Structures are given as structure tokens and as C-alpha cells.
Amino acid sequence: MKVMKFGGTSVGSADSILSVKNIIEAAQEPVIVVVSALGGITDSLIATSKMAASGNAAYVDAYNEMVRRHVEMGNGIGLESGKQANLMAAVNQLLDELKNIFKGIYLIKDLSTKTSDTIVSYGERLSSIIVANLIEGAVWYDSRTFIKTEKKHSRHILDSDLTTQLVKATFNELPKVALVPGFISSDKNSGEITNLGRGGSDYTASIIAAALQAEVLEIWTDVDGFMTADPRVISSAYVINELSYVEAMELCNFGAKVVYPPTIYPACHNNIPILIKNTFNPDAPGTIIEQEIKEESKAIKGISSINDTSLITVTGLGMVGVIGVNYRIFKALAKNGISVFMVSQASSENSTSIGVRNQDAELACEVLNEEFSKEIEMGEISPVCAEKNLATIAIVGENMKKTPGIAGKLFGTLGRNGISVIACAQGASETNISFVVEEKYLRKSLNVIHDSFFLS
Ligand code: ADP
Ligand code: ASP
Ligand code: MG
């Protein structure tokens, strides 16, 4: 069996949904199909709830627009009349529930996380019943009954063991086509609706593929495959035929939006190949992500970037040679659920810089200033503050370790173009060099590096 995931753009219009139907029906083996909300709907659900909570009556127009999209879709996919009436009854019931929730928020002017999580779940619940009705004989499953999360550091984290067990039990017998809403889940204790984070449908698909030992996990999207850089930024970016799990993981973690980062691990752990394909160009070979790369490849496979980066530096002569400073930094951040995606430490040990998202920067400074309050008072460590509005860029490739001169070429290229590097890090695994620049230099940095490594 295989798992196929179709993203928001793939189910964005009646036309594209019909391509999805053809692709699913061409599969020989049993398939589990995971779908995202119709393109743009999750954003609209979030924006509409904020409007309602702020007392803006125009939320009704935004809601009506979502109704229009779903009704148009339900009517535009060419179902025979009985089936269409059933589908529209189910769609309208969900939309009515949603209308009542928005009305409630508008009246009480309050939007809790729990309510917000309930609202965004409607996107995938609606899209999945539409696609389920379109595919002959497809059986719809509710992912909230088998994708289970638990609350840690005020985030919903997958309970992997429980979920694996429930997925196996749910799909003990497989229909030819099983249809599953991506992204949504429920709390293992309270049963409340939760989700796997923005872009989380990829993760839903990978979790299911791993639990059932699928032959392949196919991610169907709107580009021909995983590309050397974000094609919206670098027009000369091209498709990479093969990536190792490690390379894909690094590129995704550093912002390559084409796959949601947590997706790679379940597939990698179970050695399930991931195939990235284009719904709008199904004949293109796509990109295969697996353990071993078969073909000879360049030292650098891809470049990715995160643009809302802050750099927080803990510095002071009082840190030199003192054991446990880094332990305290990471413990304090972890306790507050702050994720760190880059670390750079000078060998003199008098400063450690960490890269976090802009949105986490204030809290990170607060907890570090508290953790080191004694040392700060004594003047051993400087007060911690964040340098905001930076961008982190990573160049990734497993062949880097066999190729001398990559760092030289990278920093030479940046230097010649007048771009100064604020911090950098390279892991000993030598599959990634990451560095921080001012955000205003991001586009230029990506362009000059892409030209230098891929086009010359
Ligand atoms: P979906 O709705 O199918 O989940 P996403 O919008 O989440 O699609 O991801 C696909 C998009 O990711 C592409 O349209 C492309 O703009 C963007 N992207 C960013 N980096 C890359 C990359 N390295 N390779 C391919 N696409 C990328
Ligand atoms: N619909 C959700 C989002 O937009 C999940 C997904 O598309 O994967 O984030
Ligand atoms: Mg996506």
C-alpha cells in the first residue's frame, strides 16, 4: 500500500481536484489519501476568527466567501445528483456549525486556543469529505480518532506510540481508497480537537505511512519536486532528483516549505521513501528522498532560509571555562518551549549565540536574564538582548564532507558581494553550513550563492 498526500493547492479548485481524482484512481495498490484544506482556507479561518473576536462585523463577509468556495467546489466536481445532494447536506452542516462558532466569538469577543483549534479543523474536515465523495468507493476516516497529541510546554505534541497503535487498528483492513483529513488530531486525555501545526498534513501522511510500513509516501504539491532553492525567490532553481533523508531534513528545518519538517523523521525511521510530485504535471519524475543516494551529485544539494530570525548572544568574561553555562541556557529555553535552530560558540567560550524565531525572542531574553540574574548583577555576564530582523541561510549536502573548500567558496562569494556574516555554524557531520545575515541581504545572499554553487 502507499500513502498519498495532496496539499492545499492540489485541492484548491474544481479543476485541480479532478486531476487529484485521476492520480488516485491510477494507483494499482490500496492507497490512503491525506488531504489538506482547500488552498488558502486555513489562513481564512484564522483571519475570520480574529475579525470576529475583535468585534468586526465584516467577519460575516469573510465567512460567506469560504461558504462560496466550498459550495462552488461541491457543485463543480460533476457528481450525480443524489450523491451531490448528500455531499452538500454534509458540507452545509459543517458550515452551519462554523457559522455558529464565529457568531459566538463575535458576541463574547474572546478567542481561546481551544476554540481556534476547533475552527481551523473545519478546513480539512470539509475538503476531505468533498474528495471522499469524488472518488468512487472511497471510505472516509476521521483522523481525530487515531492521531493523538498531548500538551507539553503549551504545545500539542504527537503521542507517537499511541498514534501508531491506533493507526494500525484503524487500518487493519484497507479499502481500495481510504480518505483522511490531514493536519487535525485530538488530545489523548481530553479528546479536544488539536492539530499538528501549520503545514501539518504532510506529517499526518508520514505518521500513517510509518505505522503501516507503506511502500512509499507520496507528497503531491504544486512544483515539480524538491528544488535547489525556493522557486519563488530564485527563478533559476531546479528540481533535485534525489535527496537523502538527512539532506531533506536539513533543508526543511531551514525553511524549505515544500515539506513540513517533522514529516521526514517517521518515514526515515521506517526507511520509507518519500516521493515529491506535482499534481499539475504528474508525468514529471519528481524528487525521491531516501536513505542512500544512488547518483553522483554535487557537493551542495540545496539552499534554504528562514527570514524571521533573531540572534541572542549570551556573553561575558565570567563564562570562560565555567562548566554548565550552555546547559543552563538550553535548559531555561527548553523549559519555556523555545526552539533553537542554530548555535554558534566562540572557542574562547566567552559567548554563545543562538538563533530563534523573532516571535520567541522576547521570551528567550526574559528567561535568560532571569536564569543568569546573579551573574548579570555581578557583571560576569552582560544583560541578554536580541538582535532582531535577521535571516538564517543554510547550504546543505552530504557530499560537502568529501569536498574541501566549500566554506571558503561560500564566504568568498558573500564577501565579494558586500554581504557581512553575523554568525555561522557548521555541524561536525558536515552536511550543513548555516549562517546569519541581516534580513535585507537575504534575497541577494540566496541569489549569489545559488549562482555560485549551481549555475557556474
Ligand atoms: P502544499 O499546499 O502542497 O502543501 P506548500 O505551499 O506547503 O504546498 O509547499 C509547496 C511550495 O513550497 C512551493 O510552491 C514552493 O513555492 C515552496 N518551496 C519553498 N522552498 C522550496 C524548495 N526548495 N523546493 C520546492 N518548493 C519550495
Ligand atoms: N491546512 C493546514 C495549513 O494550511 C495544513 C496543511 O496544509 O498541511 O497549515
Ligand atoms: Mg505544505
Side-chain angles (χ1 to χ4, degrees):
M1 58 83 61
K2 65 177 176 179
V3 178
M4 309 170 93
K5 177 261 172 178
F6 292 90
T9 41
S10 302
V11 294
S13 68
D15 269 357
S16 57
I17 237 171
L18 293 172
S19 316
V20 168
K21 176 181 161 73
N22 292 334
I23 293 165
I24 296 172
E25 289 179 350
Q28 304 295 317
E29 65 272 66
V31 289
I32 296 184
V33 175
V34 176
V35 293
S36 295
L38 308 192
I41 288 293
T42 309
D43 287 337
S44 301
L45 287 165
I46 294 170
T48 307
S49 31
K50 286 185 179 155
M51 279 164 91
S54 69
N56 182 349
Y59 87 85
V60 176
D61 300 331
Y63 164 77
N64 286 337
E65 174 56 21
M66 289 190 276
V67 172
R68 191 195 62 73
R69 289 266 320 265
H70 288 94
V71 170
E72 187 177 280
M73 182 72 86
N75 289 331
I77 52 177
L79 298 180
E80 52 94 357
S81 61
K83 206 167 178 189
Q84 185 180 347
N86 286 340
L87 169 62
M88 291 323 286
V91 165
N92 284 326
Q93 189 187 333
L94 288 172
L95 289 169
D96 277 347
E97 286 172 25
L98 193 53
K99 183 183 190 168
N100 289 331
I101 301 175
F102 282 136
K103 181 90 190 271
I105 298 173
Y106 178 68
L107 292 175
I108 60 172
K109 297 196 174 39
D110 184 49
L111 178 61
S112 66
T113 313
K114 182 173 149 185
T115 309
S116 186
D117 285 344
T118 303
I119 290 173
V120 288
S121 76
Y122 280 87
E124 270 71 10
R125 288 157 72 189
L126 284 159
S127 64
S128 60
I129 58 167
I130 296 175
V131 182
N133 273 273
L134 182 66
I135 313 288
E136 209 43 60
V139 181
W140 183 84
Y141 292 78
D142 187 347
S143 39
R144 289 171 296 174
T145 61
F146 53 82
I147 307 280
K148 293 286 177 183
T149 59
E150 57 188 322
K151 211 164 179 180
K152 283 189 184 158
H153 306 305
S154 72
R155 288 174 198 210
H156 300 299
I157 309 291
L158 181 78
D159 182 329
S160 184
D161 291 344
L162 176 60
T163 299
T164 301
Q165 204 183 312
L166 292 170
V167 170
K168 281 184 177 156
T170 308
F171 296 102
N172 186 26
E173 274 179 44
L174 269 185
K176 174 73 178 63
V177 180
L179 221 303
V180 173
F183 177 59
I184 60 176
S185 47
S186 69
D187 184 274
K188 72 169 187 181
N189 298 312
S190 66
E192 282 162 9
I193 303 177
T194 58
N195 62 64
L196 301 175
R198 295 303 309 272
S201 298
D202 297 337
Y203 193 23
T204 308
S206 181
I207 293 163
I208 296 174
L212 301 178
Q213 299 293 319
E215 276 147 45
V216 60
L217 164 61
E218 295 180 356
I219 307 268
W220 290 82
T221 183
D222 61 350
V223 282
D224 277 348
F226 211 120
M227 304 175 84
T228 50
D230 185 343
R232 284 166 307 183
V233 181
I234 307 290
S235 52
S236 54
Y238 56 87
V239 174
I240 308 163
N241 299 333
E242 282 186 306
L243 278 173
S244 69
Y245 291 123
V246 172
E247 290 168 335
M249 195 132 29
E250 302 260 20
L251 287 166
C252 295
N253 261 326
F254 275 90
K257 194 193 167 219
V258 60
V259 181
Y260 181 51
T263 307
I264 311 289
Y265 181 75
C268 167
H269 189 62
N270 290 275
N271 211 5
I272 295 165
I274 306 173
L275 183 59
I276 315 289
K277 294 276 288 179
N278 190 349
T279 303
F280 306 93
N281 185 16
D283 293 333
T287 301
I288 185 89
I289 303 172
E290 52 195 347
Q291 205 77 49
E292 299 282 334
I293 301 293
K294 294 181 193 79
E295 65 180 32
E296 261 310 296
S297 57
K298 287 183 183 271
I300 300 300
K301 296 295 270 301
I303 308 171
S304 57
S305 63
I306 305 176
N307 56 3
D308 55 349
T309 307
S310 289
L311 201 63
I312 293 175
T313 302
V314 181
T315 180
L317 290 178
M319 281 167 69
V320 179
V322 178
I323 291 175
V325 174
N326 283 337
Y327 167 71
R328 287 171 59 196
I329 294 176
F330 293 112
K331 190 182 67 171
L333 295 173
K335 225 165 75 189
N336 288 278
I338 298 168
S339 135
V340 172
F341 57 80
M342 201 195 88
V343 185
S344 158
Q345 186 185 33
S347 62
S348 64
E349 288 186 43
N350 74 348
S351 81
T352 298
S353 296
I354 49 186
V356 299
R357 301 263 179 190
N358 278 343
Q359 74 209 42
D360 290 331
E362 294 296 333
L363 179 62
C365 292
E366 216 174 281
V367 303
L368 292 174
N369 279 322
E370 197 174 310
E371 174 68 36
F372 293 102
S373 58
K374 268 207 197 99
E375 289 85 349
I376 293 172
E377 208 178 302
M378 308 281 287
E380 292 167 357
I381 286 182
S382 309
V384 179
C385 54
E387 206 174 336
K388 283 194 175 171
N389 301 323
L390 306 174
T392 305
I393 300 173
I395 63 169
V396 172
E398 290 214 73
N399 279 350
M400 251 158 77
K401 49 181 167 261
K402 298 182 209 146
T403 322
I406 299 289
K409 184 169 173 181
L410 171 68
F411 295 119
T413 304
L414 292 167
R416 273 194 305 284
N417 286 280
I419 299 163
S420 112
V421 172
I422 300 169
C424 69
Q426 179 183 29
S429 65
E430 285 187 59
T431 51
N432 167 328
I433 302 177
S434 44
F435 59 95
V436 178
V437 295
E438 277 182 64
E439 194 153 25
K440 65 179 181 209
Y441 291 127
L442 173 60
R443 203 167 258 273
K444 184 171 178 191
S445 304
L446 291 172
N447 271 295
V448 296
I449 300 167
H450 194 268
D451 281 359
S452 160
F453 282 97
F454 294 104
L455 302 183
S456 56

